[in-house]
Each structure stands twice: as structure tokens, then as C-alpha cells.
Amino acid sequence: MKNRGSAANIFKLRKDHDTIRVKDLKTSVNFYKNILGLEQIDNGGLGDHIKWFQLDNKVQLHLVESDARIEKHKGFHSAFNTANLSEFMDLLRTNNIPFENGKGEKDTFTNRPDGIRQIYFQDPDGYWIEVNDNKV
């Protein structure tokens, strides 16, 4: 095959979805629906132990109830952006969800050299989530 550039350029790959394993599906559905405000969508007939959510850009998050033990660390996280980071931090505070900056300092944000502000927090299963105010 003749080299015509990178695979991403040839195939125009876009993000489709991420899947995470959760211990308590009901708790996780509540978190992603009511705290992050993701839209719950049909799961394609995959059963009651799987729930799908969709972001505004149509990228999906799939939750699968499982007893599998997963190691979690901040270096492996999902990242979302919002134009209202300050209000989002207020929502986390109101719901007693602790957040921190990249260095682990509580109740504050990282101000990156490019001017983007970001925070990190954990979902009910301990997965790390970043929310920033990048305008992608």
C-alpha cells in the first residue's frame, strides 16, 4: 500500500465511545446523568447491566455493571470541557464532590500555561475525570 499520510488523515477517525466498568450501575447512572448532565440513550438492546450516555458532540460513554477490579489513577482519565467551569465547580461543592488541581491541591484548579483552567475529581467508582474550560 502506498503511504498517503497518517492513518488518521486517511480514515478520518473520530472518537466514538469509552466504556467503563462500574460496581453499582444505579449510582453511576445517577452521577453521570444528574451531576455531569449527560444524556442517557438507548443501549442497542445489550441488557439491563449496560447503560449508554451521549455528550453534546455525540461521543458516548458506556457503563457496564461488573465486579471486575480496575486500577484507577489520575494519569488515566476522561476529560470534558465546559464554558462554565466556575459554575461547574460550584455544582461539585453543592453535591459534596471533592475536586483538586493537577498537583492534588483541594478545591482549586490548575491554570495551564496555555490559559486553560482544569480540575480533577472522581466518579463513584474512583475513575478520575478532568473538566476544563478549553474551547475545542
Side-chain angles (χ1 to χ4, degrees):
M1 180 177 180
K2 189 176 180 181
N3 185 354
R4 297 184 204 159
S6 71
N9 288 339
I10 294 169
F11 298 108
K12 307 268 189 234
L13 296 176
R14 294 180 305 273
K15 178 86 166 210
D16 184 80
H17 74 273
D18 289 321
T19 299
I20 60 173
R21 302 220 177 254
V22 301
K23 290 191 185 308
D24 183 330
L25 190 58
K26 184 177 180 181
T27 297
S28 292
V29 163
N30 181 58
F31 178 83
Y32 284 95
K33 187 183 222 177
N34 297 317
I35 298 298
L36 295 188
L38 302 186
E39 175 190 1
Q40 189 171 351
I41 61 172
D42 182 73
N43 74 355
L46 293 175
D48 291 337
H49 69 291
I50 299 174
K51 301 294 181 191
W52 288 2
F53 290 88
Q54 183 169 270
L55 285 76
D56 283 346
N57 61 358
K58 306 301 181 200
V59 173
Q60 296 177 8
L61 174 65
H62 299 175
L63 306 179
V64 178
E65 192 166 50
S66 170
D67 289 329
R69 186 171 166 86
I70 309 291
E71 280 297 313
K72 295 136 186 142
H73 52 86
K74 196 186 283 185
F76 180 78
H77 62 267
S78 294
F80 304 93
N81 62 58
T82 179
N84 301 310
L85 185 60
S86 295
E87 292 86 351
F88 185 78
M89 290 186 287
D90 289 342
L91 173 76
L92 294 178
R93 288 181 189 110
T94 299
N95 286 279
N96 297 312
I97 298 171
F99 63 91
E100 60 189 48
N101 66 12
K103 295 178 182 178
E105 298 166 332
K106 307 296 183 201
D107 202 39
T108 191
F109 57 87
T110 299
N111 200 359
R112 296 184 341 203
D114 60 2
I116 303 300
R117 298 180 310 151
Q118 63 191 161
I119 61 170
Y120 295 88
F121 57 96
Q122 292 177 285
D123 81 352
D125 285 275
Y127 289 103
W128 282 97
I129 298 171
E130 172 189 336
V131 174
N132 63 56
D133 60 4
N134 192 9
K135 295 168 183 61
V136 185

